Amino acid sequence: QVQLVESGGGSVQPGGSLRVSCAASGDTFSTYSMAWFRQTPGAEREGVAYISPFSGHTYYEDSVKGRFAISRDNAKNTVSLQMNRLKTEDTGSYYCAARRYTGGLFGGPLNAADFDYWGQGTQVTVSF
């Protein structure tokens, strides 16, 4: 099993940038695919970005493509999401998620039900 703890986030005006990070512990980090999801009250948890165990492959949902960048550091057991040109609709709780890598090339879309381990979430608010 792997335990996940998010950090970062906060409040920013539209057009600004934020970075959220996730620290993993408890198992071999490099055997897990990692992803970021987000959720607003009353809405389904939606996928944002995915990264394969050795960073060879990333995937982004259309809503964030070109603005967000996911990265990981297996030596530090961390995964991060750099968010640029933020929009008000990016507001939400951001969750780090993990699942054991079983091979293949992930082509999306991201589905929360496919991930087994979750952090507690960190809030991102984009407003004037």
Side-chain angles (χ1 to χ4, degrees):
Q1 289 191 0
V2 63
Q3 291 79 47
L4 304 172
V5 178
E6 298 96 338
S7 61
S11 296
V12 67
Q13 291 189 346
S17 298
L18 280 175
R19 185 179 183 89
V20 291
S21 295
C22 173
S25 62
D27 202 349
T28 306
F29 184 60
S30 60
T31 62
Y32 288 85
S33 297
M34 302 298 297
W36 285 95
F37 288 77
R38 63 188 181 190
Q39 190 172 23
T40 53
E44 295 281 325
R45 193 166 291 189
E46 66 169 349
V48 175
Y50 164 95
I51 189 165
S52 61
F54 292 97
S55 305
H57 177 60
T58 57
Y59 169 87
Y60 298 92
E61 296 293 354
D62 287 345
S63 58
V64 304
K65 200 173 293 182
R67 300 188 298 121
F68 289 14
I70 188 170
S71 61
R72 67 189 292 166
D73 185 336
N74 287 347
K76 297 181 179 179
N77 290 355
T78 59
V79 59
S80 297
L81 184 70
Q82 177 66 40
M83 302 179 288
N84 300 322
R85 304 203 315 271
L86 282 159
K87 304 176 181 180
T88 55
E89 52 263 43
D90 294 318
T91 293
S93 293
Y94 280 70
Y95 296 89
C96 172
R99 70 181 185 197
R100 285 199 177 274
Y101 181 66
T102 56
L105 200 64
F106 180 73
L110 284 162
N111 185 342
D114 294 334
F115 288 79
D116 302 308
Y117 305 101
W118 294 86
Q120 82 288 352
T122 186
Q123 180 67 31
V124 171
T125 302
V126 186
S127 64
F128 290 100

